[in-house]
Coordinates of all heavy atoms in Angstrom, one line a residue:
M1 N 85.0 134.1 73.2 CA 86.3 133.5 73.5 C 86.1 132.0 73.9 O 85.2 131.6 74.7 CB 86.9 134.2 74.7 CG 88.3 133.7 75.1 SD 88.9 134.9 76.3 CE 89.9 133.7 77.2
T2 N 86.9 131.1 73.2 CA 86.7 129.6 73.5 C 87.9 129.1 74.2 O 89.0 129.6 73.9 CB 86.5 128.8 72.2 OG1 87.6 129.1 71.3 CG2 85.1 129.3 71.5
T3 N 87.8 128.2 75.0 CA 88.9 127.6 75.7 C 89.1 126.2 75.1 O 88.2 125.4 75.0 CB 88.6 127.5 77.2 OG1 88.3 128.7 77.7 CG2 89.8 126.9 78.0
D4 N 90.3 125.9 74.8 CA 90.7 124.7 74.2 C 90.9 123.7 75.3 O 91.9 123.8 76.0 CB 91.9 124.8 73.3 CG 92.2 123.4 72.6 OD1 91.3 122.6 72.6 OD2 93.4 123.3 72.0
T5 N 90.0 122.7 75.5 CA 90.2 121.7 76.6 C 90.7 120.4 76.1 O 90.6 119.3 76.8 CB 88.8 121.5 77.3 OG1 87.8 121.0 76.3 CG2 88.4 122.8 78.0
T6 N 91.1 120.3 74.8 CA 91.6 119.1 74.2 C 93.0 118.7 74.9 O 93.8 119.6 75.1 CB 91.9 119.3 72.7 OG1 90.7 119.7 72.1 CG2 92.3 118.0 72.1
P7 N 93.1 117.5 75.4 CA 94.4 117.2 76.0 C 95.5 117.2 75.0 O 95.4 117.0 73.8 CB 94.1 115.7 76.5 CG 93.0 115.2 75.7 CD 92.2 116.4 75.3
A8 N 96.7 117.4 75.6 CA 97.9 117.5 74.8 C 98.1 116.1 74.2 O 98.0 115.1 74.8 CB 99.1 117.9 75.6
R9 N 98.4 116.1 72.9 CA 98.6 114.8 72.2 C 100.1 114.7 71.8 O 100.7 115.6 71.3 CB 97.7 114.8 71.0 CG 96.2 114.8 71.4 CD 95.4 114.8 70.2 NE 95.6 113.8 69.3 CZ 94.8 112.8 68.9 NH1 93.6 112.8 69.4 NH2 95.1 111.9 68.0
H10 N 100.6 113.5 72.0 CA 102.0 113.2 71.6 C 101.9 112.2 70.4 O 101.3 111.2 70.5 CB 102.6 112.6 72.7 CG 102.7 113.4 74.0 ND1 103.6 114.5 74.2 CD2 101.8 113.5 75.1 CE1 103.3 115.1 75.3 NE2 102.2 114.5 75.9
V11 N 102.4 112.7 69.3 CA 102.3 111.9 68.0 C 103.6 111.2 67.7 O 104.7 111.9 67.8 CB 101.9 112.9 66.9 CG1 101.8 112.2 65.6 CG2 100.6 113.6 67.3
C12 N 103.5 110.0 67.3 CA 104.6 109.2 66.9 C 105.2 109.8 65.5 O 104.4 109.9 64.6 CB 104.3 107.7 66.8 SG 105.6 106.7 66.2
S13 N 106.4 110.0 65.5 CA 107.0 110.6 64.2 C 107.1 109.5 63.1 O 107.3 109.9 62.0 CB 108.4 111.2 64.5 OG 109.3 110.2 65.1
T14 N 107.1 108.2 63.5 CA 107.2 107.2 62.5 C 105.9 106.8 61.8 O 105.8 106.7 60.6 CB 107.8 106.0 63.1 OG1 109.1 106.3 63.8 CG2 108.1 104.9 62.1
C15 N 104.8 106.6 62.7 CA 103.6 106.1 62.1 C 102.5 107.1 62.2 O 101.4 107.0 61.6 CB 103.2 104.8 62.8 SG 102.8 104.9 64.5
G16 N 102.6 108.1 63.0 CA 101.6 109.2 63.1 C 100.5 109.0 64.2 O 99.6 109.7 64.3
E17 N 100.6 107.8 64.9 CA 99.6 107.6 66.0 C 99.8 108.6 67.1 O 100.9 108.9 67.5 CB 99.8 106.2 66.5 CG 99.3 105.1 65.6 CD 99.3 103.7 66.2 OE1 98.8 103.7 67.3 OE2 99.7 102.8 65.6
A18 N 98.7 109.0 67.7 CA 98.7 109.9 68.8 C 98.4 109.3 70.2 O 97.6 108.3 70.2 CB 97.6 111.0 68.6
Y19 N 99.1 109.8 71.2 CA 98.9 109.2 72.6 C 98.7 110.3 73.5 O 99.3 111.4 73.3 CB 100.2 108.4 72.9 CG 100.3 107.2 72.1 CD1 101.0 107.2 70.9 CD2 99.6 106.0 72.4 CE1 101.1 106.1 70.0 CE2 99.7 104.9 71.6 CZ 100.5 104.9 70.4 OH 100.5 103.8 69.6
P20 N 97.9 110.1 74.6 CA 97.7 111.2 75.5 C 98.8 111.6 76.4 O 98.8 112.7 76.9 CB 96.4 110.7 76.3 CG 96.6 109.2 76.2 CD 97.2 108.9 74.9
T21 N 99.8 110.7 76.6 CA 100.9 111.0 77.4 C 102.3 110.7 76.8 O 102.3 109.8 75.9 CB 100.9 110.2 78.8 OG1 101.0 108.8 78.5 CG2 99.6 110.5 79.6
E22 N 103.3 111.4 77.2 CA 104.6 111.1 76.7 C 105.1 109.7 77.0 O 105.7 109.1 76.2 CB 105.6 112.1 77.2 CG 107.0 112.0 76.7 CD 107.1 112.4 75.3 OE1 106.4 113.2 74.8 OE2 108.1 111.9 74.6
T23 N 104.7 109.2 78.2 CA 105.1 107.8 78.6 C 104.5 106.8 77.6 O 105.3 105.8 77.2 CB 104.7 107.5 80.0 OG1 105.3 108.5 80.8 CG2 105.2 106.1 80.4
L24 N 103.2 106.9 77.2 CA 102.7 106.0 76.3 C 103.3 106.0 74.9 O 103.5 105.0 74.3 CB 101.2 106.2 76.2 CG 100.3 105.9 77.4 CD1 98.9 106.2 77.3 CD2 100.5 104.4 77.8
L25 N 103.7 107.2 74.6 CA 104.4 107.4 73.3 C 105.7 106.7 73.3 O 106.1 106.0 72.4 CB 104.6 108.9 72.9 CG 105.4 109.2 71.6 CD1 104.7 108.6 70.4 CD2 105.6 110.6 71.4
V26 N 106.5 106.9 74.3 CA 107.8 106.3 74.5 C 107.7 104.7 74.5 O 108.4 104.1 73.8 CB 108.5 106.7 75.8 CG1 109.7 105.9 76.1 CG2 108.9 108.2 75.7
L27 N 106.7 104.2 75.2 CA 106.5 102.7 75.2 C 106.1 102.2 73.8 O 106.5 101.2 73.4 CB 105.4 102.4 76.2 CG 105.8 102.6 77.7 CD1 104.6 102.4 78.6 CD2 106.8 101.6 78.1
H28 N 105.2 103.0 73.1 CA 104.8 102.6 71.8 C 106.0 102.6 70.9 O 106.2 101.6 70.1 CB 103.8 103.6 71.2 CG 103.7 103.6 69.8 ND1 103.0 102.6 69.0 CD2 104.2 104.4 68.8 CE1 103.1 102.9 67.7 NE2 103.8 104.0 67.6
R29 N 106.8 103.6 70.9 CA 108.0 103.7 70.0 C 109.0 102.5 70.3 O 109.6 101.9 69.5 CB 108.7 105.0 70.0 CG 107.8 106.1 69.4 CD 108.5 107.4 69.3 NE 109.9 107.4 68.9 CZ 110.4 107.3 67.6 NH1 109.5 107.2 66.6 NH2 111.7 107.4 67.3
G30 N 109.1 102.2 71.6 CA 110.0 101.1 72.0 C 109.6 99.7 71.5 O 110.4 98.9 71.2
V31 N 108.2 99.6 71.5 CA 107.7 98.3 71.1 C 107.5 98.1 69.6 O 107.9 97.2 69.0 CB 106.3 98.0 71.8 CG1 105.6 96.8 71.2 CG2 106.5 97.8 73.3
R32 N 106.9 99.2 69.0 CA 106.6 99.2 67.5 C 107.7 99.6 66.6 O 107.8 99.2 65.4 CB 105.4 100.0 67.3 CG 104.2 99.6 68.0 CD 103.6 98.3 67.4 NE 102.4 97.9 68.2 CZ 101.8 96.8 68.0 NH1 102.3 95.9 67.3 NH2 100.7 96.5 68.7
H33 N 108.6 100.4 67.1 CA 109.6 101.0 66.2 C 111.0 101.0 66.9 O 111.7 101.9 66.9 CB 109.4 102.4 65.8 CG 107.9 102.7 65.4 ND1 107.3 102.2 64.3 CD2 106.9 103.4 66.0 CE1 106.1 102.5 64.1 NE2 105.8 103.3 65.2
P34 N 111.5 99.8 67.3 CA 112.8 99.7 68.1 C 114.0 100.1 67.2 O 114.9 100.6 67.7 CB 112.8 98.3 68.6 CG 111.9 97.5 67.7 CD 110.9 98.5 67.3
D35 N 113.9 99.8 66.0 CA 115.0 100.1 65.1 C 115.3 101.5 64.9 O 116.4 101.9 64.4 CB 114.9 99.3 63.7 CG 114.8 97.8 63.9 OD1 115.4 97.3 64.9 OD2 114.2 97.1 63.1
S36 N 114.3 102.4 65.0 CA 114.4 103.8 64.7 C 114.8 104.6 66.0 O 114.7 105.8 65.9 CB 113.1 104.3 64.0 OG 112.1 104.3 65.0
L37 N 115.1 104.0 67.1 CA 115.4 104.7 68.3 C 116.9 105.0 68.4 O 117.7 104.1 68.1 CB 114.9 103.9 69.5 CG 113.5 103.6 69.7 CD1 113.2 102.7 70.9 CD2 112.6 104.8 69.6
D38 N 117.2 106.2 69.0 CA 118.6 106.4 69.3 C 118.9 106.0 70.8 O 118.0 105.5 71.4 CB 119.0 107.9 69.1 CG 118.2 108.8 69.8 OD1 117.6 108.4 70.9 OD2 118.2 110.1 69.5
A39 N 120.1 106.2 71.2 CA 120.5 105.8 72.5 C 119.7 106.4 73.6 O 119.3 105.7 74.6 CB 122.0 106.0 72.8
S40 N 119.3 107.7 73.6 CA 118.6 108.3 74.6 C 117.1 107.9 74.6 O 116.5 107.7 75.6 CB 118.6 109.8 74.5 OG 118.0 110.2 73.3
E41 N 116.6 107.6 73.4 CA 115.3 107.0 73.3 C 115.1 105.6 73.8 O 114.1 105.2 74.5 CB 114.7 107.1 71.9 CG 114.5 108.6 71.4 CD 114.1 108.6 70.0 OE1 114.7 107.7 69.1 OE2 113.3 109.4 69.6
I42 N 116.2 104.9 73.6 CA 116.2 103.5 74.2 C 116.3 103.5 75.7 O 115.5 102.8 76.4 CB 117.4 102.7 73.6 CG1 117.2 102.4 72.1 CG2 117.6 101.4 74.4 CD1 118.4 101.9 71.4
E43 N 117.1 104.4 76.2 CA 117.2 104.6 77.7 C 115.8 105.0 78.2 O 115.3 104.6 79.3 CB 118.2 105.5 78.1 CG 118.4 105.7 79.6 CD 118.8 104.3 80.2 OE1 119.5 103.5 79.6 OE2 118.4 104.2 81.4
A44 N 115.1 106.0 77.6 CA 113.8 106.5 78.0 C 112.8 105.3 78.0 O 111.9 105.1 78.8 CB 113.3 107.6 77.1
Y45 N 112.9 104.5 76.9 CA 112.0 103.4 76.8 C 112.1 102.4 78.0 O 111.2 101.9 78.5 CB 112.2 102.6 75.5 CG 111.5 101.2 75.4 CD1 110.1 101.1 75.4 CD2 112.3 100.1 75.5 CE1 109.5 99.9 75.4 CE2 111.6 98.8 75.4 CZ 110.2 98.8 75.4 OH 109.6 97.6 75.4
R46 N 113.4 102.1 78.2 CA 113.7 101.1 79.3 C 113.2 101.6 80.7 O 112.6 100.9 81.5 CB 115.2 100.9 79.4 CG 115.7 99.9 78.3 CD 117.1 99.7 78.4 NE 117.5 98.8 77.3 CZ 118.8 98.7 76.8 NH1 119.8 99.4 77.4 NH2 119.1 97.9 75.9
E47 N 113.4 102.9 80.9 CA 113.0 103.5 82.2 C 111.4 103.5 82.2 O 110.9 103.2 83.3 CB 113.4 105.0 82.2 CG 113.2 105.7 83.6 CD 113.7 107.0 83.6 OE1 114.8 107.2 83.2 OE2 113.0 107.9 84.1
A48 N 110.8 103.8 81.1 CA 109.3 103.8 81.1 C 108.8 102.4 81.3 O 107.8 102.1 82.0 CB 108.8 104.4 79.8
Y49 N 109.5 101.4 80.7 CA 109.1 100.1 80.8 C 109.2 99.5 82.2 O 108.3 98.9 82.7 CB 110.0 99.1 79.9 CG 109.6 97.7 79.9 CD1 108.6 97.2 79.1 CD2 110.4 96.8 80.8 CE1 108.4 95.8 79.2 CE2 110.1 95.5 80.8 CZ 109.0 95.0 79.9 OH 108.7 93.7 80.1
Y50 N 110.3 99.9 82.9 CA 110.5 99.4 84.3 C 109.5 100.1 85.2 O 109.0 99.5 86.2 CB 111.9 99.6 84.7 CG 112.9 98.7 84.1 CD1 114.1 99.3 83.5 CD2 112.7 97.4 83.9 CE1 115.0 98.4 82.8 CE2 113.6 96.5 83.3 CZ 114.7 97.1 82.7 OH 115.6 96.2 82.1
D51 N 109.2 101.4 85.0 CA 108.2 102.1 85.8 C 106.8 101.4 85.6 O 106.1 101.2 86.6 CB 108.1 103.6 85.4 CG 109.3 104.3 85.9 OD1 110.0 103.8 86.7 OD2 109.4 105.5 85.3
E52 N 106.4 101.1 84.3 CA 105.2 100.4 84.1 C 105.1 99.1 84.7 O 104.1 98.7 85.3 CB 105.0 100.3 82.6 CG 103.7 99.7 82.2 CD 102.6 100.7 82.1 OE1 102.8 101.9 82.2 OE2 101.4 100.2 81.9
E53 N 106.2 98.4 84.7 CA 106.3 97.0 85.2 C 106.1 97.1 86.8 O 105.4 96.3 87.4 CB 107.7 96.4 85.0 CG 107.8 94.9 85.3 CD 109.1 94.4 84.8 OE1 110.1 94.4 85.5 OE2 109.2 93.9 83.6
R54 N 106.7 98.1 87.4 CA 106.7 98.2 88.9 C 105.2 98.6 89.2 O 104.6 98.1 90.2 CB 107.6 99.4 89.3 CG 107.7 99.5 90.8 CD 108.7 100.6 91.3 NE 108.8 101.7 90.4 CZ 109.8 102.1 89.7 NH1 110.8 101.3 89.5 NH2 109.8 103.2 89.1
E55 N 104.5 99.5 88.4 CA 103.1 99.8 88.7 C 102.2 98.6 88.5 O 101.3 98.4 89.4 CB 102.6 100.9 87.7 CG 103.3 102.3 88.0 CD 102.9 103.3 87.0 OE1 102.0 103.1 86.2 OE2 103.6 104.3 87.1
L56 N 102.4 97.7 87.5 CA 101.7 96.6 87.3 C 101.8 95.6 88.5 O 100.9 94.9 88.9 CB 102.0 95.9 86.0 CG 101.4 96.6 84.8 CD1 101.9 95.9 83.5 CD2 99.9 96.4 84.8
K57 N 103.0 95.4 88.9 CA 103.3 94.5 90.0 C 102.6 95.0 91.3 O 101.9 94.2 92.0 CB 104.8 94.4 90.3 CG 105.2 93.5 91.4 CD 106.7 93.3 91.6 CE 107.0 92.2 92.6 NZ 108.4 92.1 92.7
S58 N 102.6 96.3 91.5 CA 101.9 96.8 92.7 C 100.4 96.6 92.6 O 99.7 96.2 93.5 CB 102.2 98.3 92.8 OG 101.4 98.9 93.8
F59 N 99.9 96.8 91.4 CA 98.4 96.6 91.1 C 98.1 95.1 91.4 O 97.1 94.8 92.0 CB 98.0 97.0 89.7 CG 96.6 96.6 89.4 CD1 95.6 97.2 89.8 CD2 96.5 95.4 88.5 CE1 94.3 96.8 89.5 CE2 95.2 95.0 88.3 CZ 94.1 95.7 88.7
R60 N 98.9 94.2 90.9 CA 98.6 92.8 91.1 C 98.6 92.4 92.5 O 97.8 91.6 92.9 CB 99.6 92.0 90.3 CG 99.5 92.0 88.8 CD 100.6 91.3 88.1 NE 100.4 91.4 86.7 CZ 101.5 91.5 85.8 NH1 102.7 91.5 86.3 NH2 101.3 91.7 84.5
I61 N 99.5 92.9 93.3 CA 99.6 92.6 94.7 C 98.4 93.1 95.4 O 97.7 92.4 96.2 CB 100.9 93.1 95.3 CG1 102.1 92.3 94.8 CG2 100.8 93.1 96.8 CD1 103.4 92.9 95.2
R62 N 97.9 94.4 95.1 CA 96.8 94.9 95.7 C 95.5 94.2 95.3 O 94.6 94.0 96.1 CB 96.6 96.4 95.4 CG 97.6 97.3 96.1 CD 97.5 98.8 95.8 NE 98.1 99.0 94.5 CZ 97.6 99.8 93.6 NH1 96.4 100.4 93.8 NH2 98.1 99.9 92.4
A63 N 95.4 93.9 94.0 CA 94.2 93.0 93.5 C 94.1 91.7 94.2 O 93.1 91.3 94.6 CB 94.3 92.9 92.0
L64 N 95.3 91.0 94.4 CA 95.3 89.7 95.1 C 94.8 89.9 96.6 O 94.1 89.1 97.1 CB 96.7 89.1 95.0 CG 96.8 87.8 95.7 CD1 95.9 86.7 95.1 CD2 98.3 87.3 95.7
G65 N 95.4 90.9 97.2 CA 95.0 91.2 98.6 C 93.4 91.5 98.6 O 92.8 91.0 99.6
G66 N 92.9 92.2 97.7 CA 91.5 92.5 97.7 C 90.7 91.2 97.5 O 89.7 91.0 98.2
L67 N 91.1 90.3 96.7 CA 90.4 89.1 96.5 C 90.5 88.2 97.7 O 89.5 87.5 98.0 CB 91.0 88.3 95.3 CG 90.6 88.9 93.9 CD1 91.4 88.2 92.8 CD2 89.2 88.9 93.6
V68 N 91.6 88.2 98.3 CA 91.7 87.4 99.6 C 90.7 87.9 100.6 O 90.1 87.1 101.3 CB 93.2 87.4 100.1 CG1 93.3 86.8 101.5 CG2 94.1 86.6 99.2
V69 N 90.7 89.2 100.8 CA 89.8 89.8 101.8 C 88.4 89.5 101.4 O 87.5 89.2 102.3 CB 90.0 91.3 101.9 CG1 88.9 92.0 102.6 CG2 91.4 91.6 102.5
L70 N 88.0 89.6 100.1 CA 86.7 89.3 99.7 C 86.3 87.8 99.9 O 85.2 87.6 100.4 CB 86.5 89.6 98.2 CG 85.1 89.6 97.6 CD1 84.2 90.6 98.2 CD2 85.3 89.8 96.1
Y71 N 87.3 87.0 99.6 CA 87.0 85.5 99.8 C 86.7 85.2 101.3 O 85.7 84.5 101.6 CB 88.2 84.7 99.3 CG 88.2 83.2 99.7 CD1 87.3 82.4 98.9 CD2 88.9 82.7 100.8 CE1 87.2 81.1 99.3 CE2 88.8 81.4 101.1 CZ 88.0 80.6 100.3 OH 87.9 79.2 100.6
F72 N 87.6 85.7 102.2 CA 87.4 85.4 103.6 C 86.2 86.2 104.2 O 85.6 85.6 105.1 CB 88.7 85.6 104.3 CG 89.8 84.6 104.2 CD1 90.9 84.8 103.4 CD2 89.6 83.3 104.8 CE1 91.8 83.8 103.3 CE2 90.5 82.3 104.6 CZ 91.6 82.5 103.8
G73 N 85.9 87.3 103.6 CA 84.7 88.0 104.1 C 83.5 87.2 103.8 O 82.6 87.1 104.6
F74 N 83.3 86.7 102.5 CA 82.2 85.8 102.2 C 82.2 84.5 103.0 O 81.2 84.1 103.3 CB 82.2 85.6 100.7 CG 81.6 86.7 99.9 CD1 82.3 87.2 98.8 CD2 80.4 87.1 100.2 CE1 81.7 88.2 98.0 CE2 79.8 88.2 99.4 CZ 80.5 88.7 98.3
L75 N 83.4 84.0 103.2 CA 83.4 82.8 104.0 C 82.9 83.0 105.4 O 82.1 82.2 106.0 CB 84.9 82.3 104.1 CG 85.1 81.0 104.8 CD1 84.4 79.8 104.1 CD2 86.6 80.7 104.9
I76 N 83.3 84.1 106.1 CA 82.9 84.4 107.4 C 81.3 84.7 107.4 O 80.6 84.2 108.3 CB 83.6 85.6 108.0 CG1 85.0 85.2 108.2 CG2 83.0 86.2 109.2 CD1 86.0 86.3 108.6
L77 N 80.8 85.4 106.4 CA 79.4 85.7 106.3 C 78.7 84.3 106.1 O 77.6 84.2 106.7 CB 79.1 86.6 105.1 CG 79.5 88.0 105.3 CD1 79.2 88.8 104.0 CD2 78.7 88.7 106.4
F78 N 79.1 83.4 105.3 CA 78.6 82.1 105.2 C 78.5 81.4 106.5 O 77.5 80.7 106.8 CB 79.3 81.3 104.1 CG 78.8 79.9 103.9 CD1 77.6 79.7 103.2 CD2 79.4 78.8 104.4 CE1 77.0 78.5 103.0 CE2 78.9 77.6 104.2 CZ 77.7 77.4 103.6
I79 N 79.6 81.4 107.2 CA 79.6 80.7 108.5 C 78.6 81.3 109.5 O 77.9 80.6 110.2 CB 81.1 80.7 109.0 CG1 82.0 79.9 108.2 CG2 81.1 80.3 110.5 CD1 83.5 80.0 108.6
I80 N 78.5 82.6 109.5 CA 77.6 83.3 110.4 C 76.2 83.0 110.1 O 75.3 82.6 110.9 CB 77.9 84.8 110.4 CG1 79.3 85.0 111.1 CG2 76.8 85.6 111.2 CD1 79.7 86.4 111.1
F81 N 75.8 83.2 108.8 CA 74.4 83.2 108.4 C 73.9 81.8 108.0 O 72.7 81.6 107.9 CB 74.1 84.2 107.3 CG 74.3 85.6 107.7 CD1 75.3 86.4 107.3 CD2 73.3 86.2 108.6 CE1 75.4 87.7 107.7 CE2 73.4 87.4 109.1 CZ 74.5 88.2 108.6
A82 N 74.8 80.8 107.7 CA 74.4 79.5 107.3 C 74.3 78.6 108.4 O 73.9 77.4 108.3 CB 75.3 78.9 106.2
S83 N 74.7 79.0 109.6 CA 74.6 78.1 110.8 C 73.3 77.9 111.3 O 72.4 78.7 111.4 CB 75.6 78.7 111.8 OG 76.9 78.8 111.4

């Protein structure tokens, strides 16, 4: 008995490309095949796009915070050990 551990694949009906998540498929179809979307697919694309945008904004803020902490950490270490 074998267990299938292959992740579920979501395949684009227009070009046949496969994506690991439904969200990535929706984003792909909205960007690459916008003319073939119906109203519900356009709404799903917009929702996925705004969710992705919100996640990217959060990541950018956290990355900037990490860089600021790293910068001032090295600055303090320089002040302490270079004196």
Side-chain angles (χ1 to χ4, degrees):
M1 182 169 149
T2 60
T3 304
D4 186 14
T5 59
T6 306
R9 295 174 57 115
H10 304 277
V11 179
C12 178
S13 59
T14 306
C15 66
E17 288 189 44
Y19 294 91
T21 65
E22 180 70 26
T23 303
L24 291 176
L25 176 62
V26 169
L27 290 169
H28 160 76
R29 287 186 45 81
V31 171
R32 298 290 182 191
H33 315 292
D35 297 334
S36 65
L37 301 179
D38 61 18
S40 66
E41 290 174 323
I42 291 172
E43 185 60 34
Y45 167 70
R46 286 182 180 157
E47 185 177 319
Y49 180 83
Y50 292 134
D51 288 344
E52 182 84 6
E53 191 174 88
R54 188 172 44 249
E55 290 174 14
L56 282 173
K57 185 175 182 179
S58 172
F59 169 76
R60 287 177 184 141
I61 290 170
R62 287 183 284 138
L64 178 62
L67 288 174
V68 167
V69 168
L70 189 64
Y71 172 78
F72 282 107
F74 279 126
L75 183 65
I76 290 170
L77 287 175
F78 178 74
I79 290 170
I80 291 171
F81 292 112
S83 299

